[in-house]
């Protein structure tokens, strides 16, 4: 129930008493009739209506005021609730911002820590790599220095050893020409002749077919065997004694020249192998064939020497297998030119054939 104000109650009581008002007069003067004065005073209906209208207007105004006050209180409560919720939301946002700022600060600290660790590791790795490279360089320099010091101290002994080996190899070349250039027997197993490459394989010399001369001299006296192959009239790369001297001297001085004369030996061997390819109609002069020949002479020198020797000794440049009697003794052709040696071999071929 709505509360009624004190002023409203007073107005209602006043109006009630006013509607039933009885006027009491003091004692009448002599001669005035008392019946006239004792009659109650009554108000007219218009007056009562006006009073009722005014009372209703007052009540309506009072109710309007109460309604407005209630609305105002509701609005104030709603505004206060909205302000309170806004304050709470602002506080939550501020708390979230503070937590985000703290997380960002922690992330920055972690990033700085990780960057410091990475920088430290990279610095350590670069230092270790630098130290390793410097140590390897210093090791190589130390080895080169030791070799150069050893050569400087022992160059005389090296020269004497090279000279002795040169003389012994030249003597072996004379012995080979005098006693080991007799006719080869017939091959027990003839190869399949092809012009796409060598007819013999790299390891066919180990079968010692037809005898052991090619295998033994390719392993134990390589310069002699190589010079014999290079000086063949079917190859014509160099004369026997010239090839034997150059190859032996370059091999003997390999240590003193820090490997330079070894490259000369490799160049001579590859060039002679390319000459054999050209004379026998094999692929030659291309990058692939040169690389293949270099690889063969670097990986297995005796195998390369045996393959070339058997190709020259037993295969004709025209593509046929030659009989063993076609090779004449080397001392008969030593010192001759290539043309004279070719004519001598032709004569020996005619002498050893039935035709």
């Amino acid at each position: 129930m709505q509360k009624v104000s004190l002023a409203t109650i007073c107005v209602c009581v006043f109006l009630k008493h006013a509607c039933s008002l009885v006027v009491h007069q003091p004692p009448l003067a002599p001669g005035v009739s008392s019946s006239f004065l004792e009659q109650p005073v009554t108000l007219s209906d218009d007056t009562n209506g006006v009073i009722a209208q005014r009372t209703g207007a007052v009540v309506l105004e009072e109710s309007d005021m109460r309604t407005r006050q209630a609305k105002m209180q509701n609005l104030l409560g709603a505004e206060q609730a909205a302000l309170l919720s806004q304050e709470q939301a602002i506080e939550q946002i501020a708390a979230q911002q503070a937590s985000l700022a703290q997380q960002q600060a922690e992330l920055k600290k972690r990033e700085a820590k990780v960057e410091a660790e990475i920088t430290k590791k990279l610095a350590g790795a670069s230092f270790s790599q630098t130290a390793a490279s410097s140590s390897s360089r210093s090791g190589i320099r130390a080895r080169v220095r030791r070799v150069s010091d050893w050569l400087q101290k022992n160059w005389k002994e090296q020269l004497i050893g090279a000279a002795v080996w040169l003389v012994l190899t030249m003597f072996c070349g004379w012995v080979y020409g005098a006693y080991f250039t007799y006719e080869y027997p017939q091959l027990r197993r003839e190869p399949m002749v092809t012009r796409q490459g060598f007819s013999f394989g790299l390891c066919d010399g180990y079968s010692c077919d037809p005898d052991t001369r090619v295998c033994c001299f390719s392993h134990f006296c390589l310069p002699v065997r190589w010079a014999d192959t290079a000086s063949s009239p079917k190859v014509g790369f160099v004369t026997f004694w010239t090839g034997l001297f150059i190859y032996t001297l370059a091999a003997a001085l390999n240590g003193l020249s820090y490997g330079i004369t070894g490259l000369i030996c490799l160049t001579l061997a590859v060039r002679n192998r390319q000459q054999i390819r050209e004379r026998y109609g094999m692929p030659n002069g291309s990058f692939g064939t040169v690389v293949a020949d270099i690889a063969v002479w670097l990986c297995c020198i005796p195998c390369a020497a045996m393959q070339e020797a058997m190709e020259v000794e037993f295969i004709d440049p025209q593509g046929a297998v030659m009989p063993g009697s076609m090779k004449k003794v080397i001392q008969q052709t030593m010192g001759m030119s290539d043309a004279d040696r070719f004519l001598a071999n032709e004569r020996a071929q005619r002498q050893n054939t039935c035709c």
Side-chain angles (χ1 to χ4, degrees), residues 221-234:
C221 200
L222 176 67
V224 174
R225 178 63 263 177
W226 179 84
D228 186 16
T229 303
S231 63
S232 173
K234 290 181 285 185

Side-chain angles (χ1 to χ4, degrees), residues 101-111:
Q102 186 177 1
Q103 291 177 1
Q104 289 179 356
E106 291 179 356
L107 287 175
K108 288 182 179 179
K109 289 181 181 179
R110 291 180 183 177
E111 289 178 356

